[in-house]
Amino acid sequence: VSRLLAVDWGSSSLRGALLSAEGIALEERAFPRGILTVEAGGFPEVFQSCFGDWMTPGTLCLISGMAGSKQGWREAPYCACPAGFDAIAAALEWVEPGRIAIVPGLSIDKAGVPDVMRGEETQIFGALQLLGLNHARLVLPGTHSKWVGVTDRKVMDFSTWMTGELYALLRRHSILARMLPEDEPALDSAAFDRGVAHALAGPGLLNTAFSTRTLSLFNRMGTEALPSYLSGLVIGEELKAQTLPRGEPVVVMGAEALTVRYEQALAQLGVPVQRVGAGATWRGLRAIADTLG
Amino acid sequence: VSRLLAVDWGSSSLRGALLSAEGIALEERAFPRGILTVEAGGFPEVFQSCFGDWMTPGTLCLISGMAGSKQGWREAPYCACPAGFDAIAAALEWVEPGRIAIVPGLSIDKAGVPDVMRGEETQIFGALQLLGLNHARLVLPGTHSKWVGVTDRKVMDFSTWMTGELYALLRRHSILARMLPEDEPALDSAAFDRGVAHALAGPGLLNTAFSTRTLSLFNRMGTEALPSYLSGLVIGEELKAQTLPRGEPVVVMGAEALTVRYEQALAQLGVPVQRVGAGATWRGLRAIADTLG
């Protein structure tokens, strides 16, 4: 495949890039047209208006993300783990044969309870390529964080953590919201660290979250520090549940503001971090395209 | 004290009762006039309109609950644990000396992190009287559940758990809300038990809560069962964090619909339950009044 249009179509945003043979973005576009803004049946038209001029004859388009969900352009059934590049490439959901395909997400079953991801699989495979790794433990922080174990370039295990969403719920909709400032202040490192430490030592978030209220009630923490403290509590709670041997690095990939916090929290556990530069999704889509020959 | 008006003035409700010398309610009244509905300075008028005719000469009124908070009628500073009846009676906040007093809440400090209760202390002391116990482990399920350890009729230790509030947040405001039915169906015992079991075996609520979504996504649990499953997850998470020796009873007190769930969840851990009949608050206020001589 010489000319590849890589598309990352998520719930709330739509991004695309024309990639070089090395997976470098030559041109990029972004639109506020996540799948939640597109009506059923409206996907071809949105795609055409955003990227139609790039789809010259011979161009291949690969799309990752929620575009492959039930509410997306076309449902791409999940690939069951363990799964590597090849399994995913073999399970592409072709919207237009040979021209436009959607990358399937991954699923895993643990004692009858499924877990799923869509979009992250492409970022993961891209990160492995960028870092030159065959084995890795990764975390993709976000609304729903993913912890992922990779062996021999296959995703063997993963789990979802509603950390970002819980933070937002507690921050905006719980009784704690009354104590917290309306705007999001800059990260208070000391308060964040204290939150992480309290979560790691504490009996669980259902209890520790309440300390955000009482520390404020007793004037033991300033209002501006409380969001950072609460953020430390939820991220610390997520880390506490992982098996993280000291000194074994974890690959952290995601938005800068968030990866900085995970790096700081992991430092409390003596766990070093490997960062991934931007472009993991593009690199992953390039790698999947390359398996198509 | 021969004639006692006992008042339970919470955030969202106001209840009062005229009590016999044994702490039995002779007459009861309830009003939708929780402290959140009362403007600053408006408390005497609301009290007068609700209970003025009961305040005949020689009548003592004791008020427990959020009426003693900063946003209430008059702030009653917390009593520090360990604390028993006597400590609370000595720290009554008199609104009208000899006539109307507010019962203080309890506070505890653990490694610099405070915890607090207001109103529950009265229920606890009432329950000890009703059950004839000097030592007990109690749980008061609710929006913010309290776990309480009592030795020699003193509250030695307690902790707050945002279990009910987290359930409501996840149920109504999270991504899970989309899968759940709008109305609250009757308790599905099997689904509730499965939620408790998954929480007890799982790595934490941030992760296990997501299974509510995936079990629905993969059609492994019916829509009507999901709220009970989620309820089992959050209550199981709360229980998992307690030290609960098999066979040692726990006193469970609160709304019937909730105590039934805790009893069912505790059964999975082999922990028997002691129930408390209605009227623990009235009995507690009666006991405090009796210490006044």
Side-chain angles (χ1 to χ4, degrees), chain A residues 109 112-116 160 162 165-166 174-175 203 206-207 210 214 220 241, chain B residues 109 112 114-115 160 162 165-166 174-175 203 206-207 210-211 214 218 220 241:
Chain A
D109 195 296
V113 178
D115 206 336
V116 293
T160 301
M162 295 177 67
E165 183 165 10
L166 253 291
S174 79
I175 193 179
L206 291 175
N207 170 253
F210 195 66
T214 54
R220 295 198 190 163
Chain B
D109 195 297
D115 206 336
T160 301
M162 295 177 66
E165 183 164 11
L166 254 291
S174 80
I175 193 177
L206 291 175
N207 170 253
F210 196 64
S211 66
T214 55
F218 284 72
R220 295 197 190 164

PDB file of all heavy atoms in Angstrom, chain A residues 109 112-116 160 162 165-166 174-175 203 206-207 210 214 220 241, chain B residues 109 112 114-115 160 162 165-166 174-175 203 206-207 210-211 214 218 220 241:
ATOM      1  N   ASP A 109     -12.357 -12.400  27.757  1.00  0.00           N
ATOM      2  CA  ASP A 109     -13.363 -12.982  28.645  1.00  0.00           C
ATOM      3  C   ASP A 109     -12.663 -13.496  29.892  1.00  0.00           C
ATOM      4  O   ASP A 109     -11.738 -14.288  29.805  1.00  0.00           O
ATOM      5  CB  ASP A 109     -14.083 -14.130  27.915  1.00  0.00           C
ATOM      6  CG  ASP A 109     -15.361 -14.512  28.632  1.00  0.00           C
ATOM      7  OD1 ASP A 109     -15.274 -14.973  29.784  1.00  0.00           O
ATOM      8  OD2 ASP A 109     -16.448 -14.351  28.054  1.00  0.00           O
ATOM      9  N   GLY A 112     -16.336 -15.408  32.536  1.00  0.00           N
ATOM     10  CA  GLY A 112     -17.686 -15.064  32.099  1.00  0.00           C
ATOM     11  C   GLY A 112     -17.974 -13.586  32.021  1.00  0.00           C
ATOM     12  O   GLY A 112     -19.065 -13.180  31.626  1.00  0.00           O
ATOM     13  N   VAL A 113     -17.000 -12.757  32.408  1.00  0.00           N
ATOM     14  CA  VAL A 113     -17.192 -11.305  32.333  1.00  0.00           C
ATOM     15  C   VAL A 113     -16.317 -10.746  31.208  1.00  0.00           C
ATOM     16  O   VAL A 113     -15.096 -10.855  31.263  1.00  0.00           O
ATOM     17  CB  VAL A 113     -16.844 -10.625  33.669  1.00  0.00           C
ATOM     18  CG1 VAL A 113     -17.003  -9.122  33.557  1.00  0.00           C
ATOM     19  CG2 VAL A 113     -17.717 -11.186  34.779  1.00  0.00           C
ATOM     20  N   PRO A 114     -16.935 -10.178  30.171  1.00  0.00           N
ATOM     21  CA  PRO A 114     -16.155  -9.666  29.042  1.00  0.00           C
ATOM     22  C   PRO A 114     -15.564  -8.290  29.338  1.00  0.00           C
ATOM     23  O   PRO A 114     -16.033  -7.576  30.211  1.00  0.00           O
ATOM     24  CB  PRO A 114     -17.201  -9.539  27.919  1.00  0.00           C
ATOM     25  CG  PRO A 114     -18.520  -9.930  28.497  1.00  0.00           C
ATOM     26  CD  PRO A 114     -18.384  -9.988  29.979  1.00  0.00           C
ATOM     27  N   ASP A 115     -14.520  -7.962  28.595  1.00  0.00           N
ATOM     28  CA  ASP A 115     -14.003  -6.600  28.575  1.00  0.00           C
ATOM     29  C   ASP A 115     -13.703  -6.264  27.109  1.00  0.00           C
ATOM     30  O   ASP A 115     -13.512  -7.180  26.295  1.00  0.00           O
ATOM     31  CB  ASP A 115     -12.759  -6.456  29.451  1.00  0.00           C
ATOM     32  CG  ASP A 115     -12.569  -5.032  29.973  1.00  0.00           C
ATOM     33  OD1 ASP A 115     -13.090  -4.083  29.344  1.00  0.00           O
ATOM     34  OD2 ASP A 115     -11.889  -4.860  30.990  1.00  0.00           O
ATOM     35  N   VAL A 116     -13.700  -4.986  26.794  1.00  0.00           N
ATOM     36  CA  VAL A 116     -13.562  -4.592  25.387  1.00  0.00           C
ATOM     37  C   VAL A 116     -12.725  -3.321  25.236  1.00  0.00           C
ATOM     38  O   VAL A 116     -12.599  -2.529  26.177  1.00  0.00           O
ATOM     39  CB  VAL A 116     -14.949  -4.317  24.750  1.00  0.00           C
ATOM     40  CG1 VAL A 116     -15.767  -5.596  24.650  1.00  0.00           C
ATOM     41  CG2 VAL A 116     -15.721  -3.265  25.523  1.00  0.00           C
ATOM     42  N   THR A 160     -10.246  -2.662  31.823  1.00  0.00           N
ATOM     43  CA  THR A 160     -10.748  -1.285  31.738  1.00  0.00           C
ATOM     44  C   THR A 160     -10.993  -0.729  33.131  1.00  0.00           C
ATOM     45  O   THR A 160     -11.502  -1.436  34.001  1.00  0.00           O
ATOM     46  CB  THR A 160     -12.071  -1.269  30.946  1.00  0.00           C
ATOM     47  OG1 THR A 160     -11.837  -1.799  29.648  1.00  0.00           O
ATOM     48  CG2 THR A 160     -12.625   0.147  30.821  1.00  0.00           C
ATOM     49  N   MET A 162     -12.630   2.740  35.050  1.00  0.00           N
ATOM     50  CA  MET A 162     -13.452   3.928  34.797  1.00  0.00           C
ATOM     51  C   MET A 162     -12.923   5.146  35.560  1.00  0.00           C
ATOM     52  O   MET A 162     -13.695   5.971  36.069  1.00  0.00           O
ATOM     53  CB  MET A 162     -14.908   3.639  35.179  1.00  0.00           C
ATOM     54  CG  MET A 162     -15.547   2.563  34.302  1.00  0.00           C
ATOM     55  SD  MET A 162     -17.243   2.147  34.799  1.00  0.00           S
ATOM     56  CE  MET A 162     -18.090   3.693  34.411  1.00  0.00           C
ATOM     57  N   GLU A 165     -13.742   8.798  34.270  1.00  0.00           N
ATOM     58  CA  GLU A 165     -15.173   9.067  34.420  1.00  0.00           C
ATOM     59  C   GLU A 165     -15.545   9.233  35.897  1.00  0.00           C
ATOM     60  O   GLU A 165     -16.313  10.137  36.247  1.00  0.00           O
ATOM     61  CB  GLU A 165     -16.002   7.941  33.786  1.00  0.00           C
ATOM     62  CG  GLU A 165     -17.484   8.243  33.883  1.00  0.00           C
ATOM     63  CD  GLU A 165     -18.344   7.390  32.983  1.00  0.00           C
ATOM     64  OE1 GLU A 165     -17.839   6.413  32.408  1.00  0.00           O
ATOM     65  OE2 GLU A 165     -19.545   7.720  32.861  1.00  0.00           O
ATOM     66  N   LEU A 166     -14.985   8.388  36.764  1.00  0.00           N
ATOM     67  CA  LEU A 166     -15.270   8.516  38.198  1.00  0.00           C
ATOM     68  C   LEU A 166     -14.786   9.861  38.735  1.00  0.00           C
ATOM     69  O   LEU A 166     -15.461  10.502  39.538  1.00  0.00           O
ATOM     70  CB  LEU A 166     -14.619   7.377  38.986  1.00  0.00           C
ATOM     71  CG  LEU A 166     -15.532   6.286  39.538  1.00  0.00           C
ATOM     72  CD1 LEU A 166     -16.414   6.798  40.659  1.00  0.00           C
ATOM     73  CD2 LEU A 166     -16.397   5.695  38.434  1.00  0.00           C
ATOM     74  N   SER A 174     -20.982  14.961  42.639  1.00  0.00           N
ATOM     75  CA  SER A 174     -21.147  14.390  43.978  1.00  0.00           C
ATOM     76  C   SER A 174     -21.201  15.509  45.015  1.00  0.00           C
ATOM     77  O   SER A 174     -21.052  16.693  44.708  1.00  0.00           O
ATOM     78  CB  SER A 174     -19.983  13.453  44.301  1.00  0.00           C
ATOM     79  OG  SER A 174     -18.843  14.201  44.691  1.00  0.00           O
ATOM     80  N   ILE A 175     -21.364  15.119  46.281  1.00  0.00           N
ATOM     81  CA  ILE A 175     -21.364  16.085  47.377  1.00  0.00           C
ATOM     82  C   ILE A 175     -20.031  16.825  47.445  1.00  0.00           C
ATOM     83  O   ILE A 175     -19.959  17.949  47.930  1.00  0.00           O
ATOM     84  CB  ILE A 175     -21.652  15.358  48.718  1.00  0.00           C
ATOM     85  CG1 ILE A 175     -21.981  16.359  49.827  1.00  0.00           C
ATOM     86  CG2 ILE A 175     -20.482  14.471  49.111  1.00  0.00           C
ATOM     87  CD1 ILE A 175     -22.306  15.723  51.149  1.00  0.00           C
ATOM     88  N   PRO A 203      -8.405   2.029  52.474  1.00  0.00           N
ATOM     89  CA  PRO A 203      -9.194   0.812  52.294  1.00  0.00           C
ATOM     90  C   PRO A 203     -10.074   0.819  51.039  1.00  0.00           C
ATOM     91  O   PRO A 203     -10.811  -0.127  50.826  1.00  0.00           O
ATOM     92  CB  PRO A 203     -10.061   0.793  53.553  1.00  0.00           C
ATOM     93  CG  PRO A 203     -10.263   2.229  53.887  1.00  0.00           C
ATOM     94  CD  PRO A 203      -9.025   2.964  53.421  1.00  0.00           C
ATOM     95  N   LEU A 206     -14.375   4.277  47.914  1.00  0.00           N
ATOM     96  CA  LEU A 206     -15.667   4.617  48.523  1.00  0.00           C
ATOM     97  C   LEU A 206     -15.443   5.347  49.843  1.00  0.00           C
ATOM     98  O   LEU A 206     -16.219   6.220  50.218  1.00  0.00           O
ATOM     99  CB  LEU A 206     -16.490   3.349  48.788  1.00  0.00           C
ATOM    100  CG  LEU A 206     -17.029   2.593  47.573  1.00  0.00           C
ATOM    101  CD1 LEU A 206     -17.723   1.306  48.020  1.00  0.00           C
ATOM    102  CD2 LEU A 206     -17.994   3.462  46.768  1.00  0.00           C
ATOM    103  N   ASN A 207     -14.372   4.981  50.536  1.00  0.00           N
ATOM    104  CA  ASN A 207     -14.023   5.650  51.793  1.00  0.00           C
ATOM    105  C   ASN A 207     -13.097   6.844  51.567  1.00  0.00           C
ATOM    106  O   ASN A 207     -13.347   7.944  52.071  1.00  0.00           O
ATOM    107  CB  ASN A 207     -13.362   4.648  52.741  1.00  0.00           C
ATOM    108  CG  ASN A 207     -12.763   5.329  53.970  1.00  0.00           C
ATOM    109  OD1 ASN A 207     -11.549   5.439  54.090  1.00  0.00           O
ATOM    110  ND2 ASN A 207     -13.604   5.833  54.850  1.00  0.00           N
ATOM    111  N   PHE A 210     -14.207  10.446  50.482  1.00  0.00           N
ATOM    112  CA  PHE A 210     -14.873  11.304  51.462  1.00  0.00           C
ATOM    113  C   PHE A 210     -13.887  12.240  52.162  1.00  0.00           C
ATOM    114  O   PHE A 210     -14.272  13.303  52.665  1.00  0.00           O
ATOM    115  CB  PHE A 210     -15.610  10.435  52.500  1.00  0.00           C
ATOM    116  CG  PHE A 210     -16.611  11.185  53.334  1.00  0.00           C
ATOM    117  CD1 PHE A 210     -17.746  11.738  52.757  1.00  0.00           C
ATOM    118  CD2 PHE A 210     -16.447  11.332  54.704  1.00  0.00           C
ATOM    119  CE1 PHE A 210     -18.688  12.421  53.525  1.00  0.00           C
ATOM    120  CE2 PHE A 210     -17.374  12.022  55.487  1.00  0.00           C
ATOM    121  CZ  PHE A 210     -18.503  12.562  54.895  1.00  0.00           C
ATOM    122  N   THR A 214     -13.814  16.101  54.135  1.00  0.00           N
ATOM    123  CA  THR A 214     -13.466  16.392  55.531  1.00  0.00           C
ATOM    124  C   THR A 214     -12.190  17.233  55.633  1.00  0.00           C
ATOM    125  O   THR A 214     -12.095  18.072  56.518  1.00  0.00           O
ATOM    126  CB  THR A 214     -13.307  15.097  56.348  1.00  0.00           C
ATOM    127  OG1 THR A 214     -12.361  14.236  55.707  1.00  0.00           O
ATOM    128  CG2 THR A 214     -14.632  14.369  56.457  1.00  0.00           C
ATOM    129  N   ARG A 220      -7.987  21.739  56.404  1.00  0.00           N
ATOM    130  CA  ARG A 220      -6.653  21.141  56.348  1.00  0.00           C
ATOM    131  C   ARG A 220      -6.115  21.104  54.916  1.00  0.00           C
ATOM    132  O   ARG A 220      -4.997  20.680  54.676  1.00  0.00           O
ATOM    133  CB  ARG A 220      -6.672  19.729  56.926  1.00  0.00           C
ATOM    134  CG  ARG A 220      -7.005  19.750  58.398  1.00  0.00           C
ATOM    135  CD  ARG A 220      -6.631  18.483  59.108  1.00  0.00           C
ATOM    136  NE  ARG A 220      -7.191  18.507  60.459  1.00  0.00           N
ATOM    137  CZ  ARG A 220      -7.322  17.441  61.222  1.00  0.00           C
ATOM    138  NH1 ARG A 220      -6.925  16.263  60.780  1.00  0.00           N
ATOM    139  NH2 ARG A 220      -7.838  17.542  62.431  1.00  0.00           N
ATOM    140  N   ALA A 241      -4.430  -1.353  42.412  1.00  0.00           N
ATOM    141  CA  ALA A 241      -5.000  -2.644  42.026  1.00  0.00           C
ATOM    142  C   ALA A 241      -4.135  -3.393  41.011  1.00  0.00           C
ATOM    143  O   ALA A 241      -4.426  -4.544  40.686  1.00  0.00           O
ATOM    144  CB  ALA A 241      -6.408  -2.422  41.454  1.00  0.00           C
TER     145      ALA A 241
ATOM    146  N   ASP B 109      -9.980  11.276  64.007  1.00  0.00           N
ATOM    147  CA  ASP B 109      -8.823  11.684  63.211  1.00  0.00           C
ATOM    148  C   ASP B 109      -7.938  10.463  62.985  1.00  0.00           C
ATOM    149  O   ASP B 109      -7.528   9.815  63.943  1.00  0.00           O
ATOM    150  CB  ASP B 109      -8.048  12.775  63.959  1.00  0.00           C
ATOM    151  CG  ASP B 109      -7.071  13.482  63.042  1.00  0.00           C
ATOM    152  OD1 ASP B 109      -6.145  12.820  62.540  1.00  0.00           O
ATOM    153  OD2 ASP B 109      -7.236  14.697  62.829  1.00  0.00           O
ATOM    154  N   GLY B 112      -4.165  12.254  60.420  1.00  0.00           N
ATOM    155  CA  GLY B 112      -4.340  13.586  59.862  1.00  0.00           C
ATOM    156  C   GLY B 112      -5.553  13.743  58.964  1.00  0.00           C
ATOM    157  O   GLY B 112      -5.822  14.833  58.473  1.00  0.00           O
ATOM    158  N   PRO B 114      -9.553  13.590  58.865  1.00  0.00           N
ATOM    159  CA  PRO B 114     -10.717  13.516  59.755  1.00  0.00           C
ATOM    160  C   PRO B 114     -11.871  12.739  59.112  1.00  0.00           C
ATOM    161  O   PRO B 114     -11.921  12.584  57.892  1.00  0.00           O
ATOM    162  CB  PRO B 114     -11.133  14.977  59.930  1.00  0.00           C
ATOM    163  CG  PRO B 114     -10.201  15.805  59.083  1.00  0.00           C
ATOM    164  CD  PRO B 114      -9.463  14.878  58.168  1.00  0.00           C
ATOM    165  N   ASP B 115     -12.758  12.235  59.945  1.00  0.00           N
ATOM    166  CA  ASP B 115     -14.031  11.703  59.463  1.00  0.00           C
ATOM    167  C   ASP B 115     -15.099  12.209  60.423  1.00  0.00           C
ATOM    168  O   ASP B 115     -14.787  12.570  61.564  1.00  0.00           O
ATOM    169  CB  ASP B 115     -14.000  10.170  59.408  1.00  0.00           C
ATOM    170  CG  ASP B 115     -14.986   9.623  58.372  1.00  0.00           C
ATOM    171  OD1 ASP B 115     -15.973  10.321  58.046  1.00  0.00           O
ATOM    172  OD2 ASP B 115     -14.772   8.493  57.902  1.00  0.00           O
ATOM    173  N   THR B 160     -16.610   6.473  56.983  1.00  0.00           N
ATOM    174  CA  THR B 160     -17.685   6.825  56.047  1.00  0.00           C
ATOM    175  C   THR B 160     -17.406   6.217  54.690  1.00  0.00           C
ATOM    176  O   THR B 160     -16.255   6.229  54.214  1.00  0.00           O
ATOM    177  CB  THR B 160     -17.768   8.358  55.928  1.00  0.00           C
ATOM    178  OG1 THR B 160     -18.030   8.911  57.208  1.00  0.00           O
ATOM    179  CG2 THR B 160     -18.883   8.768  54.958  1.00  0.00           C
ATOM    180  N   MET B 162     -18.953   6.250  50.687  1.00  0.00           N
ATOM    181  CA  MET B 162     -19.871   6.977  49.792  1.00  0.00           C
ATOM    182  C   MET B 162     -20.636   6.015  48.877  1.00  0.00           C
ATOM    183  O   MET B 162     -20.890   6.296  47.710  1.00  0.00           O
ATOM    184  CB  MET B 162     -19.091   8.001  48.982  1.00  0.00           C
ATOM    185  CG  MET B 162     -18.477   9.115  49.839  1.00  0.00           C
ATOM    186  SD  MET B 162     -17.472  10.288  48.880  1.00  0.00           S
ATOM    187  CE  MET B 162     -18.734  11.069  47.853  1.00  0.00           C
ATOM    188  N   GLU B 165     -24.120   7.078  47.357  1.00  0.00           N
ATOM    189  CA  GLU B 165     -23.929   8.170  46.400  1.00  0.00           C
ATOM    190  C   GLU B 165     -23.243   7.666  45.122  1.00  0.00           C
ATOM    191  O   GLU B 165     -23.641   8.042  44.017  1.00  0.00           O
ATOM    192  CB  GLU B 165     -23.106   9.302  47.022  1.00  0.00           C
ATOM    193  CG  GLU B 165     -22.954  10.468  46.061  1.00  0.00           C
ATOM    194  CD  GLU B 165     -22.486  11.762  46.709  1.00  0.00           C
ATOM    195  OE1 GLU B 165     -22.072  11.749  47.879  1.00  0.00           O
ATOM    196  OE2 GLU B 165     -22.552  12.799  46.007  1.00  0.00           O
ATOM    197  N   LEU B 166     -22.234   6.807  45.272  1.00  0.00           N
ATOM    198  CA  LEU B 166     -21.562   6.252  44.080  1.00  0.00           C
ATOM    199  C   LEU B 166     -22.544   5.440  43.238  1.00  0.00           C
ATOM    200  O   LEU B 166     -22.521   5.504  42.003  1.00  0.00           O
ATOM    201  CB  LEU B 166     -20.381   5.374  44.493  1.00  0.00           C
ATOM    202  CG  LEU B 166     -18.986   5.943  44.274  1.00  0.00           C
ATOM    203  CD1 LEU B 166     -18.641   6.056  42.800  1.00  0.00           C
ATOM    204  CD2 LEU B 166     -18.834   7.309  44.921  1.00  0.00           C
ATOM    205  N   SER B 174     -23.381   8.084  34.734  1.00  0.00           N
ATOM    206  CA  SER B 174     -22.210   7.523  34.053  1.00  0.00           C
ATOM    207  C   SER B 174     -22.620   6.911  32.721  1.00  0.00           C
ATOM    208  O   SER B 174     -23.801   6.861  32.366  1.00  0.00           O
ATOM    209  CB  SER B 174     -21.553   6.461  34.927  1.00  0.00           C
ATOM    210  OG  SER B 174     -22.260   5.239  34.820  1.00  0.00           O
ATOM    211  N   ILE B 175     -21.639   6.409  32.000  1.00  0.00           N
ATOM    212  CA  ILE B 175     -21.906   5.724  30.737  1.00  0.00           C
ATOM    213  C   ILE B 175     -22.807   4.512  30.961  1.00  0.00           C
ATOM    214  O   ILE B 175     -23.525   4.088  30.049  1.00  0.00           O
ATOM    215  CB  ILE B 175     -20.569   5.289  30.079  1.00  0.00           C
ATOM    216  CG1 ILE B 175     -20.792   4.875  28.633  1.00  0.00           C
ATOM    217  CG2 ILE B 175     -19.901   4.183  30.869  1.00  0.00           C
ATOM    218  CD1 ILE B 175     -19.514   4.491  27.898  1.00  0.00           C
ATOM    219  N   PRO B 203     -10.731  -6.688  41.358  1.00  0.00           N
ATOM    220  CA  PRO B 203      -9.614  -5.831  41.749  1.00  0.00           C
ATOM    221  C   PRO B 203     -10.024  -4.415  42.162  1.00  0.00           C
ATOM    222  O   PRO B 203      -9.163  -3.609  42.475  1.00  0.00           O
ATOM    223  CB  PRO B 203      -8.763  -5.791  40.482  1.00  0.00           C
ATOM    224  CG  PRO B 203      -9.744  -5.921  39.370  1.00  0.00           C
ATOM    225  CD  PRO B 203     -10.888  -6.759  39.895  1.00  0.00           C
ATOM    226  N   LEU B 206     -13.436   0.587  40.261  1.00  0.00           N
ATOM    227  CA  LEU B 206     -13.111   1.302  39.021  1.00  0.00           C
ATOM    228  C   LEU B 206     -13.135   0.337  37.848  1.00  0.00           C
ATOM    229  O   LEU B 206     -13.480   0.707  36.725  1.00  0.00           O
ATOM    230  CB  LEU B 206     -11.726   1.949  39.121  1.00  0.00           C
ATOM    231  CG  LEU B 206     -11.563   3.126  40.089  1.00  0.00           C
ATOM    232  CD1 LEU B 206     -10.110   3.567  40.142  1.00  0.00           C
ATOM    233  CD2 LEU B 206     -12.452   4.298  39.676  1.00  0.00           C
ATOM    234  N   ASN B 207     -12.737  -0.900  38.099  1.00  0.00           N
ATOM    235  CA  ASN B 207     -12.757  -1.923  37.062  1.00  0.00           C
ATOM    236  C   ASN B 207     -14.079  -2.685  37.029  1.00  0.00           C
ATOM    237  O   ASN B 207     -14.698  -2.841  35.968  1.00  0.00           O
ATOM    238  CB  ASN B 207     -11.598  -2.903  37.278  1.00  0.00           C
ATOM    239  CG  ASN B 207     -11.704  -4.130  36.382  1.00  0.00           C
ATOM    240  OD1 ASN B 207     -12.013  -5.226  36.847  1.00  0.00           O
ATOM    241  ND2 ASN B 207     -11.480  -3.952  35.092  1.00  0.00           N
ATOM    242  N   PHE B 210     -17.358  -1.471  35.239  1.00  0.00           N
ATOM    243  CA  PHE B 210     -17.430  -1.523  33.778  1.00  0.00           C
ATOM    244  C   PHE B 210     -18.093  -2.814  33.288  1.00  0.00           C
ATOM    245  O   PHE B 210     -18.643  -2.850  32.181  1.00  0.00           O
ATOM    246  CB  PHE B 210     -16.017  -1.401  33.185  1.00  0.00           C
ATOM    247  CG  PHE B 210     -15.991  -1.069  31.720  1.00  0.00           C
ATOM    248  CD1 PHE B 210     -16.483   0.137  31.246  1.00  0.00           C
ATOM    249  CD2 PHE B 210     -15.464  -1.966  30.799  1.00  0.00           C
ATOM    250  CE1 PHE B 210     -16.452   0.451  29.886  1.00  0.00           C
ATOM    251  CE2 PHE B 210     -15.424  -1.671  29.436  1.00  0.00           C
ATOM    252  CZ  PHE B 210     -15.921  -0.452  28.986  1.00  0.00           C
ATOM    253  N   SER B 211     -18.070  -3.849  34.128  1.00  0.00           N
ATOM    254  CA  SER B 211     -18.693  -5.114  33.711  1.00  0.00           C
ATOM    255  C   SER B 211     -20.203  -4.966  33.554  1.00  0.00           C
ATOM    256  O   SER B 211     -20.835  -5.740  32.841  1.00  0.00           O
ATOM    257  CB  SER B 211     -18.365  -6.231  34.704  1.00  0.00           C
ATOM    258  OG  SER B 211     -18.964  -5.985  35.968  1.00  0.00           O
ATOM    259  N   THR B 214     -20.355  -4.270  29.901  1.00  0.00           N
ATOM    260  CA  THR B 214     -19.991  -5.344  28.974  1.00  0.00           C
ATOM    261  C   THR B 214     -20.949  -6.528  29.075  1.00  0.00           C
ATOM    262  O   THR B 214     -21.251  -7.158  28.056  1.00  0.00           O
ATOM    263  CB  THR B 214     -18.539  -5.809  29.206  1.00  0.00           C
ATOM    264  OG1 THR B 214     -18.367  -6.182  30.567  1.00  0.00           O
ATOM    265  CG2 THR B 214     -17.568  -4.684  28.876  1.00  0.00           C
ATOM    266  N   PHE B 218     -22.809  -7.753  25.696  1.00  0.00           N
ATOM    267  CA  PHE B 218     -22.711  -9.118  25.180  1.00  0.00           C
ATOM    268  C   PHE B 218     -23.961  -9.946  25.488  1.00  0.00           C
ATOM    269  O   PHE B 218     -23.940 -11.161  25.376  1.00  0.00           O
ATOM    270  CB  PHE B 218     -21.462  -9.809  25.750  1.00  0.00           C
ATOM    271  CG  PHE B 218     -20.173  -9.355  25.107  1.00  0.00           C
ATOM    272  CD1 PHE B 218     -19.658  -8.090  25.357  1.00  0.00           C
ATOM    273  CD2 PHE B 218     -19.486 -10.184  24.236  1.00  0.00           C
ATOM    274  CE1 PHE B 218     -18.470  -7.668  24.761  1.00  0.00           C
ATOM    275  CE2 PHE B 218     -18.313  -9.767  23.631  1.00  0.00           C
ATOM    276  CZ  PHE B 218     -17.794  -8.508  23.888  1.00  0.00           C
ATOM    277  N   ARG B 220     -25.321 -10.820  28.186  1.00  0.00           N
ATOM    278  CA  ARG B 220     -25.181 -11.857  29.206  1.00  0.00           C
ATOM    279  C   ARG B 220     -25.990 -11.532  30.455  1.00  0.00           C
ATOM    280  O   ARG B 220     -26.024 -12.311  31.398  1.00  0.00           O
ATOM    281  CB  ARG B 220     -23.710 -12.044  29.576  1.00  0.00           C
ATOM    282  CG  ARG B 220     -22.922 -12.571  28.404  1.00  0.00           C
ATOM    283  CD  ARG B 220     -21.600 -13.155  28.786  1.00  0.00           C
ATOM    284  NE  ARG B 220     -20.817 -13.425  27.599  1.00  0.00           N
ATOM    285  CZ  ARG B 220     -19.509 -13.649  27.606  1.00  0.00           C
ATOM    286  NH1 ARG B 220     -18.856 -13.647  28.743  1.00  0.00           N
ATOM    287  NH2 ARG B 220     -18.874 -13.883  26.482  1.00  0.00           N
ATOM    288  N   ALA B 241     -13.843  -4.247  51.984  1.00  0.00           N
ATOM    289  CA  ALA B 241     -12.822  -3.447  52.661  1.00  0.00           C
ATOM    290  C   ALA B 241     -12.901  -3.557  54.183  1.00  0.00           C
ATOM    291  O   ALA B 241     -12.023  -3.057  54.878  1.00  0.00           O
ATOM    292  CB  ALA B 241     -12.956  -1.980  52.238  1.00  0.00           C
TER     293      ALA B 241
END
